Amino acid sequence: MAVELGLGGLYPAKEVIRAVLEPKEGETKSILDLGCGTGTWAIEMAREYPDAEVLGIDLAPVPVDGDTLPSNCRFEVDNINLGLAHFGGQFDVVHIRFVGSGLQNFKERMKDVHNCLKPGGIVIWVDADFDYYSTEKFEYHLPATDDNLGGCWSQRVVSEMRRACLRIGSDPIGMESELDAGLWTDPLIDPETCKTGSLYLPVGTWASHDNPRVAPLLKYVGALIGQDFIGAMKLIVPLMVKVGWTKNDVEMWRRNLIQELTDLHVHTVLRVRLVWGRRRPISEGRSVEQASDTEARPDSPSRVSYPWFYVYDTEEVSLKQAEARKKGKNNSILPPIPS
């Protein structure tokens, strides 16, 4: 829900998505949600676009209520790491969210995902940054360690998650570099349709704003992210134990994290990286039909616009922002994982 509040809806590039999914006589629009989790996004898209067919894919069966499931939405069990050739060229919209930590050889998986698009179809990547940032200035926050007790425990946890993912064969480093660079040089994607973005979400209820309508939104988003983070601590225990940490280690991280969120003395933000672009048309030399992208304003005047969502229109700007976020990261040293 926090991501939807930040985006003002289910997806970025709203005008583009609506144009792509506009009904056409004799043609059924199709949406693929890769790594669909609980199926919420797929179900909501099926309701928003009742004339489209929506397919959600995940490693485990999705627990859904057949009585309330929209008739144009279905789910399948599949593994992205095994390839997606069976979905080649079938979808107008492909959405893939928060699965980067589980993907192997990210660059190859990215090719597989983009091959699922029809010509002119749009892909939307949404994934977490394994680096957390301090305050609304979005500067890197050093993790807490025995040598840096004043550091950030949320940063320590996500840093350990990145290390653990690398140890089990996933490719979070590839995910970070590929998505931060955007899709401008991808041979399947039309560079004129590409954008990247950063959505910064406060961790905890510390955030404030001069606008009295925006301040409660930031606090609510922060409360949701804090709750999600604490809940996720239970889920990461098996992974941390597998790579060498003990349950007591993870429990200590959890206690310190809760204390950090309660005291509000550490102002931390989670960055969600967003990347999108449309597949090139079949005809050589022909560009994809453009649709206006009104990302800077909310859907309606009554909706409060989230203040910490930034869209980058060019590869140069996207890479410049990525470079700026690296400031201070060379000073981050984690202790060795116990053998």
Side-chain angles (χ1 to χ4, degrees), residues 73-331:
C73 183
R74 62 189 176 89
F75 297 98
E76 294 180 3
V77 175
D78 209 336
N79 187 342
I80 301 171
N81 283 316
L82 299 181
L84 298 168
H86 46 296
F87 293 135
Q90 297 182 28
F91 295 92
D92 299 280
V93 173
V94 175
H95 174 262
I96 181 163
R97 176 160 133 175
F98 297 146
V99 300
S101 61
L103 296 183
Q104 302 158 0
N105 194 343
F106 189 85
K107 195 166 188 175
E108 287 302 311
R109 300 292 76 77
M110 180 178 269
K111 291 178 183 178
D112 293 341
V113 171
H114 296 171
N115 272 315
C116 295
L117 291 169
K118 297 177 184 177
I122 185 169
V123 63
I124 308 165
W125 290 88
V126 183
D127 225 303
D129 193 330
F130 280 98
D131 292 316
Y132 275 30
Y133 301 87
S134 92
T135 74
E136 61 275 18
K137 295 179 181 178
F138 314 131
E139 298 170 346
Y140 178 69
H141 211 315
L142 291 170
T145 64
D146 290 342
D147 297 325
N148 182 30
L149 296 177
C152 175
W153 282 102
S154 56
Q155 180 66 75
R156 173 65 183 276
V157 171
V158 294
S159 296
E160 296 294 354
M161 288 177 61
R162 178 200 275 122
R163 262 204 309 189
C165 289
L166 286 167
R167 282 206 169 191
I168 64 172
S170 294
D171 187 18
I173 304 300
M175 179 268 288
E176 292 167 350
S177 63
E178 292 292 332
L179 294 186
D180 283 347
L183 307 179
W184 285 277
T185 61
D186 188 303
L188 282 179
I189 305 298
D190 184 344
E192 295 182 13
T193 68
C194 294
K195 292 182 187 290
T196 64
S198 293
L199 175 64
Y200 291 96
L201 306 174
V203 183
T205 57
W206 59 266
S208 61
H209 199 275
D210 292 338
N211 186 328
R213 296 180 67 201
V214 174
L217 174 62
L218 287 173
K219 290 189 180 295
Y220 182 52
V221 168
L224 292 173
I225 294 296
Q227 292 169 5
D228 287 347
F229 208 149
I230 293 171
M233 291 300 297
K234 295 180 180 179
L235 302 177
I236 69 170
V237 172
L239 173 60
M240 294 302 161
V241 171
K242 183 177 182 178
V243 300
W245 295 104
T246 68
K247 291 182 179 180
N248 288 337
D249 291 325
V250 183
E251 175 58 25
M252 183 268 289
W253 300 344
R254 189 186 72 86
R255 289 196 305 269
N256 287 327
L257 174 62
I258 292 174
Q259 190 64 48
E260 186 175 276
L261 292 175
T262 302
D263 293 345
L264 302 181
H265 67 281
V266 177
H267 295 177
T268 306
V269 291
L270 160 67
R271 173 179 170 257
V272 177
R273 48 169 57 89
L274 296 106
V275 179
W276 62 92
R278 298 177 67 178
R279 185 167 183 171
R280 294 176 185 271
I282 295 176
S283 302
E284 285 292 333
R286 180 173 157 236
S287 63
V288 171
E289 180 183 350
Q290 298 294 307
S292 62
D293 191 345
T294 55
E295 206 59 60
R297 61 180 174 82
D299 278 351
S300 65
S302 62
R303 176 173 290 168
V304 176
S305 181
Y306 188 81
W308 295 346
F309 179 32
Y310 305 92
V311 175
Y312 314 127
D313 294 330
T314 67
E315 182 182 18
E316 180 183 9
V317 173
S318 186
L319 292 174
K320 183 178 180 180
Q321 291 295 321
E323 190 63 30
R325 288 190 298 269
K326 292 180 181 178
K327 185 178 179 181
K329 293 181 183 180
N330 291 335
N331 298 321

